[in-house]
Structure formats: C-alpha cells, structure tokens
Amino acid sequence: MMRKPGPLRQGDVVGVLAPAGAVDPSSLDAGVRMLESAGFRVRLGATARGRAGYLAGPDRERAADLHDMFRDPAVRAIFVARGGYGSGRLLPLIDPAVAREHPKVFVAHSDLTFLLNHLVQRAELVTFHGPMVAAFQRHPEAVEILLAMLTGDRVAWHASAQEVIQPGTCEGTLAGGC
C-alpha cells in the first residue's frame, strides 16, 4: 500500500539534500530563503554544500545523508537542492525500508527521477515531481503552487498542453520520469 505523507504546516522543519551534483551556494541560499519566507524551518543535509569533483560528496555520504533525513523525526519533508548526474549511483546504497518506515514528503525532478521512482517502487512512498531548491528563484510561480499543494491550501493544478501530439484518451498507471 502506498504511503502518502500528511500536509506540511507553518513552522515545520524541511530538509534540503544534494544527492547528485554539487550545488551553487548562492542559488541554494536563495532557495532556502524562499522556504523560510514560506514559514518553514530549514535543515541542510550534511552534503548540501559538499563537493567531491562535480558531485555534492562521495556516494556513501550522499546516501547516508538521505537516510539521516528520512530517520530524523523532526524533518517533515525533504527537498532536493539540484539535479544532475549522480543520483542513480545511490540506488544500490539506499535501503527502501528507511523511507517506508519514516514516510515524508520528497520533492525532486530531472535526473532525480531515479530516486523518485525508486522510492515509489521500493518504499511504496508517494513522491512529488517539482522544482528543486537551487532553482526556486528562477521559478517562483511553480514554487508557490508546489508549496500550496504540499500544505493542502491548493488541491488541484491544471496546465494546458501547448501541443497535442496524439489526440484521444487513455487509462492506466502514470509513472513520471525525465
């Protein structure tokens, strides 16, 4: 059975991780300020400001950071700082039972689809495909909609396709991806 975390509230602690590429510090700081302005307390992961080559730290440290955020009872949501290559390297190091036992909001997109789908398929956790913290300042409207959805202040979002490739209808299970 899928585990869907409850809505976020003002004052909740949200974690910010960098499970892939190293993060530009000024972009990270700007995104953190946006989360704080929305009423959240932010806890940065141990590797959020890290660097090991082009990654935010060694694979084992980034995987441990993810486990630590899920295990931390104060953290109600986990936002990914940025995408990029590297998240797929964590899959063999991640214990899905940790997320299953400590379900919380998890938001990412782009190359982090590896982790999103892993958490859905292996931990049976509902995940959220949305903007990442280091890009918040470039997409303020998307951030506003995301946070409204995660707090329950908004229950739906609709976007029109700019182009229809194949008209019609269908039914099935939708799996997001990059």
Tab-separated table of all heavy atoms in Angstrom, residues 3-9 12 76-77 103-106 125-126 128 149-152:
chain	number	residue	atom	x	y	z
A	3	ARG	N	2.299	4.869	0.746
A	3	ARG	CA	2.310	5.740	1.923
A	3	ARG	C	2.343	7.185	1.455
A	3	ARG	O	3.275	7.598	0.762
A	3	ARG	CB	3.540	5.453	2.781
A	3	ARG	CG	3.453	4.128	3.486
A	3	ARG	CD	4.860	3.613	3.805
A	3	ARG	NE	4.809	2.332	4.467
A	3	ARG	CZ	4.595	1.171	3.851
A	3	ARG	NH1	4.415	1.150	2.558
A	3	ARG	NH2	4.560	0.042	4.520
A	4	LYS	N	1.318	7.946	1.840
A	4	LYS	CA	1.254	9.356	1.462
A	4	LYS	C	1.441	10.193	2.714
A	4	LYS	O	0.635	10.131	3.634
A	4	LYS	CB	-0.085	9.684	0.811
A	4	LYS	CG	-0.172	11.124	0.355
A	4	LYS	CD	-1.499	11.413	-0.298
A	4	LYS	CE	-1.559	12.886	-0.680
A	4	LYS	NZ	-2.899	13.263	-1.121
A	5	PRO	N	2.511	10.976	2.761
A	5	PRO	CA	2.748	11.819	3.936
A	5	PRO	C	1.651	12.865	4.085
A	5	PRO	O	1.030	13.277	3.113
A	5	PRO	CB	4.088	12.490	3.640
A	5	PRO	CG	4.623	11.844	2.422
A	5	PRO	CD	3.519	11.119	1.743
A	6	GLY	N	1.453	13.313	5.307
A	6	GLY	CA	0.464	14.343	5.571
A	6	GLY	C	0.926	15.705	5.077
A	6	GLY	O	2.089	15.887	4.707
A	7	PRO	N	0.020	16.682	5.093
A	7	PRO	CA	0.363	18.019	4.612
A	7	PRO	C	1.362	18.731	5.527
A	7	PRO	O	1.428	18.463	6.730
A	7	PRO	CB	-0.981	18.750	4.605
A	7	PRO	CG	-1.831	18.012	5.576
A	7	PRO	CD	-1.357	16.587	5.555
A	8	LEU	N	2.108	19.636	4.938
A	8	LEU	CA	3.052	20.453	5.682
A	8	LEU	C	2.318	21.607	6.347
A	8	LEU	O	1.276	22.048	5.873
A	8	LEU	CB	4.133	21.005	4.753
A	8	LEU	CG	5.005	19.983	4.044
A	8	LEU	CD1	6.012	20.686	3.140
A	8	LEU	CD2	5.703	19.087	5.047
A	9	ARG	N	2.873	22.113	7.437
A	9	ARG	CA	2.297	23.242	8.175
A	9	ARG	C	3.385	24.284	8.431
A	9	ARG	O	4.576	23.961	8.488
A	9	ARG	CB	1.729	22.771	9.515
A	9	ARG	CG	0.631	21.745	9.390
A	9	ARG	CD	-0.652	22.405	8.893
A	9	ARG	NE	-1.689	21.401	8.695
A	9	ARG	CZ	-2.314	21.204	7.546
A	9	ARG	NH1	-2.030	21.931	6.498
A	9	ARG	NH2	-3.234	20.289	7.434
A	12	ASP	N	6.977	23.832	10.263
A	12	ASP	CA	7.563	22.502	10.082
A	12	ASP	C	9.023	22.614	9.654
A	12	ASP	O	9.427	23.566	8.972
A	12	ASP	CB	6.812	21.705	9.012
A	12	ASP	CG	5.526	21.079	9.513
A	12	ASP	OD1	5.301	21.057	10.738
A	12	ASP	OD2	4.737	20.609	8.671
A	76	ARG	N	9.868	16.974	8.293
A	76	ARG	CA	8.572	16.567	7.743
A	76	ARG	C	8.578	16.442	6.222
A	76	ARG	O	7.672	15.864	5.644
A	76	ARG	CB	7.516	17.577	8.155
A	76	ARG	CG	7.344	17.682	9.645
A	76	ARG	CD	6.143	16.962	10.188
A	76	ARG	NE	4.948	17.434	9.515
A	76	ARG	CZ	4.062	16.614	8.947
A	76	ARG	NH1	4.206	15.321	8.998
A	76	ARG	NH2	2.998	17.108	8.343
A	77	ALA	N	9.589	17.027	5.577
A	77	ALA	CA	9.682	16.969	4.118
A	77	ALA	C	11.147	17.038	3.725
A	77	ALA	O	11.970	17.594	4.457
A	77	ALA	CB	8.920	18.134	3.480
A	103	PRO	N	7.821	7.720	6.394
A	103	PRO	CA	7.363	8.417	5.186
A	103	PRO	C	7.285	9.930	5.399
A	103	PRO	O	6.872	10.401	6.455
A	103	PRO	CB	5.983	7.821	4.930
A	103	PRO	CG	5.536	7.282	6.240
A	103	PRO	CD	6.779	6.887	6.986
A	104	LYS	N	7.739	10.651	4.404
A	104	LYS	CA	7.636	12.112	4.417
A	104	LYS	C	7.628	12.616	2.990
A	104	LYS	O	7.958	11.887	2.058
A	104	LYS	CB	8.730	12.763	5.250
A	104	LYS	CG	10.120	12.288	5.026
A	104	LYS	CD	11.096	12.793	6.107
A	104	LYS	CE	10.906	12.033	7.392
A	104	LYS	NZ	11.703	12.455	8.516
A	105	VAL	N	7.235	13.859	2.824
A	105	VAL	CA	7.234	14.485	1.511
A	105	VAL	C	8.650	14.430	0.944
A	105	VAL	O	9.614	14.711	1.647
A	105	VAL	CB	6.759	15.957	1.635
A	105	VAL	CG1	6.984	16.717	0.343
A	105	VAL	CG2	5.294	16.011	2.061
A	106	PHE	N	8.758	14.054	-0.332
A	106	PHE	CA	10.048	14.045	-1.039
A	106	PHE	C	9.827	14.697	-2.395
A	106	PHE	O	9.016	14.223	-3.187
A	106	PHE	CB	10.569	12.612	-1.205
A	106	PHE	CG	11.975	12.553	-1.737
A	106	PHE	CD1	13.056	12.603	-0.877
A	106	PHE	CD2	12.211	12.460	-3.101
A	106	PHE	CE1	14.371	12.558	-1.362
A	106	PHE	CE2	13.509	12.413	-3.601
A	106	PHE	CZ	14.591	12.458	-2.725
A	125	LEU	N	6.311	4.862	-1.389
A	125	LEU	CA	6.123	6.219	-0.902
A	125	LEU	C	5.627	7.099	-2.040
A	125	LEU	O	6.184	7.065	-3.140
A	125	LEU	CB	7.455	6.769	-0.373
A	125	LEU	CG	7.462	8.198	0.142
A	125	LEU	CD1	6.612	8.309	1.408
A	125	LEU	CD2	8.891	8.643	0.427
A	126	VAL	N	4.592	7.874	-1.787
A	126	VAL	CA	4.154	8.869	-2.753
A	126	VAL	C	5.229	9.954	-2.794
A	126	VAL	O	5.633	10.468	-1.751
A	126	VAL	CB	2.790	9.483	-2.345
A	126	VAL	CG1	2.419	10.645	-3.250
A	126	VAL	CG2	1.698	8.413	-2.371
A	128	PHE	N	6.896	13.542	-5.003
A	128	PHE	CA	6.389	14.737	-5.684
A	128	PHE	C	7.416	15.237	-6.689
A	128	PHE	O	8.561	15.478	-6.345
A	128	PHE	CB	6.071	15.829	-4.652
A	128	PHE	CG	5.023	15.382	-3.668
A	128	PHE	CD1	5.388	14.672	-2.534
A	128	PHE	CD2	3.686	15.630	-3.900
A	128	PHE	CE1	4.431	14.229	-1.631
A	128	PHE	CE2	2.723	15.196	-3.007
A	128	PHE	CZ	3.095	14.491	-1.875
A	149	MET	N	0.205	23.185	-2.728
A	149	MET	CA	-0.260	21.791	-2.850
A	149	MET	C	0.200	20.970	-1.645
A	149	MET	O	-0.560	20.178	-1.089
A	149	MET	CB	0.267	21.161	-4.139
A	149	MET	CG	-0.222	21.813	-5.413
A	149	MET	SD	-1.924	21.463	-5.817
A	149	MET	CE	-1.822	19.798	-6.350
A	150	LEU	N	1.452	21.166	-1.214
A	150	LEU	CA	2.003	20.370	-0.116
A	150	LEU	C	1.393	20.732	1.238
A	150	LEU	O	1.409	19.917	2.157
A	150	LEU	CB	3.522	20.511	-0.062
A	150	LEU	CG	4.288	19.950	-1.260
A	150	LEU	CD1	5.776	20.228	-1.116
A	150	LEU	CD2	4.026	18.466	-1.443
A	151	THR	N	0.881	21.947	1.376
A	151	THR	CA	0.240	22.349	2.630
A	151	THR	C	-1.260	22.090	2.609
A	151	THR	O	-1.922	22.273	3.629
A	151	THR	CB	0.482	23.848	2.923
A	151	THR	OG1	-0.047	24.626	1.845
A	151	THR	CG2	1.955	24.138	3.125
A	152	GLY	N	-1.793	21.705	1.470
A	152	GLY	CA	-3.224	21.466	1.354
A	152	GLY	C	-4.021	22.727	1.082
A	152	GLY	O	-5.248	22.695	1.034
